[in-house]
Amino acid sequence: MAPSCNHNQNHSQNGQFLPQEVVVVVVPFPAQGHLNQLLHLSRLISAYNIPIHYITTKIHSHQVNLRAHGFNPLSTNNIHFHEFSTPVFNSPSPNNSNSSVKFPSNLTPSSQISSHLRNPVAKILHSLSHKNRRIIIIHDSLMGSVVQDFRTIPNAEAYTFHSVSAFTLFLYVWESIGRPFAIDTDMIKELPSNEGCFSPEFEEFMKSEHEYSMFNSGKIYNTSQAIEHTFLDLLSKEQISKGQKQWALGPFNPVVIQGTHQQRHKSLVWLDKQVPKSVIFVSFGTTSSFSDEQIKEIAIGLEKSQQKFIWVLRDADKENIFSKDFIKKIELPKGFEERVKEKGIIVRDWAPQLEILAHSSTGGFLCHCGWNSCVESISTGVPIVAWPMHSDQPRNTVLITKILKVGIVVKDWARRDDLVVSTEIEKAVRILMASEEGEEMRKRAEELGFGVKKAVGEGGVTRKEFDSFITHITR
């Protein structure tokens, strides 16, 4: 999608906003899970006829647009993409399968790359400040240093976007400021530690970036009162919020899916032929890699489970996904694909996850519990087999399995260095897909998904919160 240079007139249907009164500048962290969430949010804000300026590197702009799905591409015609070249950094191999810290080392260069966006962002902000009454900056919590120059612009204000669950964020802040008030002990019983979730370098980077949020006017979350009202209430407490406003505007992804491909992906064509709720979707996001031995155990476990499946089998993203560097083809046990050809399909490239989850034949999701995947699964009413890898995923797993009760764990965080053997995978898949316990989870997931759809609909709690946010920034 090429950068757009036209400037749309900023009229709302009720005539509330004037031409070019307010523009929104969106600055995502350059990693797929972050880019994707903020592109979806940009699309939602632009539906209010507010121009969006989405700023990232050339590579990451191309990446997020190439992978966008679940909505009509024409709905981004009020989003202006600003793409900047940045220096090339050595990007370590994404294969972190044998390391004691599972956090993907290839994400560390993203933090170095992003620092080079500060000057281009400042120039765009100053330029826009002369043409508009107000500039609203929505930046990833990891991009505070990049947008810091907004403080020199009188008609600019900034909002921090947090790409994780309210549950995970609340616990992180609550623990870091010394647990200033008591909470329900069930919530923190068997809570996994943060040990091993991030590399030491990335932890330092996160801490340094969070310092910048004190200058902001509020926080935005990709969650909903329908999913996490308890934790949103806790985040709003004065000791945590420090008086900043907060908005739960999620889920950002569409809850009613529109196909975006003229030629449907092969996985969707295959799903059309399956029985409702009969297929488990297996995908571990863009930042996780497995050892050859673990791949073999997953394959045997899926085969023995006798359940139908779609397995996205690809290595973690490199820093530049378009690089021509050698990509290792992941080997499967001999004869596996031939034996399971009636039961499942292997996808070795990018898959339209949201469309797969929304398909009537999909009945479960074996995943890493990244927040994008959790929100997409919840909003489509699909229960989860959780296998956390790093970052916020271990605590998202607690939210999914113990609090919302819409999933089960296949690998506990305490056993993160262990090989998960095929019998464990087979058992977890069978429980979710072919047992009464799994059926109960599916019903709860469907009820939660229905609640989310209601929340984003006319008069729903999320729609009201979104209207409130738009009223606030255009005041």
Side-chain angles (χ1 to χ4, degrees), residues 42-96:
S42 298
R43 182 183 53 81
L44 292 171
I45 296 171
S46 75
Y48 288 83
N49 285 319
I50 296 174
I52 308 289
H53 295 264
Y54 185 101
I55 305 175
T56 187
T57 74
K58 282 185 177 176
I59 288 167
H60 293 100
S61 177
H62 185 22
Q63 174 178 324
V64 72
N65 279 300
L66 181 72
R67 291 175 168 181
H69 65 285
F71 61 88
N72 181 346
L74 295 176
S75 66
T76 61
N77 64 359
N78 205 16
I79 302 175
H80 314 296
F81 292 91
H82 299 264
E83 306 164 344
F84 292 99
S85 297
T86 54
V88 175
F89 287 89
N90 277 335
S91 180
S93 162
N95 195 332
N96 49 23

Side-chain angles (χ1 to χ4, degrees), residues 212-223:
Y212 291 93
S213 66
M214 68 177 73
F215 304 107
N216 287 9
S217 301
K219 298 181 171 77
I220 295 169
Y221 310 119
N222 183 12
T223 190

Side-chain angles (χ1 to χ4, degrees), residues 312-358:
V312 179
L313 183 60
R314 54 191 295 278
D315 220 358
D317 279 355
K318 294 175 293 187
E319 178 54 54
N320 177 359
I321 67 162
F322 305 104
S323 145
K324 301 295 182 200
D325 292 350
F326 172 72
I327 298 171
K328 180 184 85 167
K329 187 179 183 208
I330 300 170
E331 294 299 330
L332 286 163
K334 195 169 181 194
F336 171 78
E337 289 184 74
E338 180 61 28
R339 290 195 305 274
V340 299
K341 65 182 180 185
E342 301 302 321
K343 282 280 181 193
I345 58 170
I346 310 293
V347 178
R348 291 185 179 270
D349 52 11
W350 182 254
Q353 176 167 299
L354 192 52
E355 291 170 51
I356 291 170
L357 288 170

